[in-house]
């Protein structure tokens, strides 16, 4: 199994277990969620670049009491 597939499997497990709501008692401020965004970035850009892009997104997700969920897709929609 490649490292990219392993990272995606770990993200899938995190999502199945309840994600940020379960582990951190927080709702994600974005749609798609930070974990889904990171997974998409890894699939599209590869492990290293995808994790870097995902980490930058997670670092922007710093408002625990955010009222409005922001739509922030990885790729521009057609």
């Amino acid at each position: 199994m490649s490292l990219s597939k392993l990272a995606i499997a770990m993200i899938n497990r995190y999502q199945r277990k309840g994600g940020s709501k379960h582990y951190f008692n927080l709702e994600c401020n974005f749609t798609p969620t930070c974990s889904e965004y990171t997974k998409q970035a890894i699939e599209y850009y590869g492990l290293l670049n995808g994790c870097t892009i995902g980490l930058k997104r997670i670092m922007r997700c710093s408002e625990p009491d955010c009222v409005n969920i922001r739509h922030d897709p990885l790729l521009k929609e057609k």
Side-chain angles (χ1 to χ4, degrees), residues 8-65:
I8 289 170
M10 290 170 60
I11 292 170
N12 285 335
R13 183 170 190 263
Y14 169 81
Q15 290 173 332
R16 280 193 312 273
K17 295 286 184 178
S20 63
K21 185 66 174 167
H22 174 76
Y23 290 103
F24 307 109
N25 199 27
L26 295 170
E27 295 284 340
C28 188
N29 294 330
F30 294 103
T31 179
T33 63
C34 293
S35 59
E36 184 62 29
Y37 186 91
T38 302
K39 185 170 72 170
Q40 290 175 13
I42 292 169
E43 290 171 342
Y44 192 80
Y45 295 106
L47 183 63
L48 184 59
N49 288 334
C51 286
T52 302
I53 291 167
L55 182 60
K56 287 179 182 178
R57 166 72 175 278
I58 291 167
M59 290 171 53
R60 290 187 308 161
C61 194
S62 62
E63 299 176 35
D65 298 321

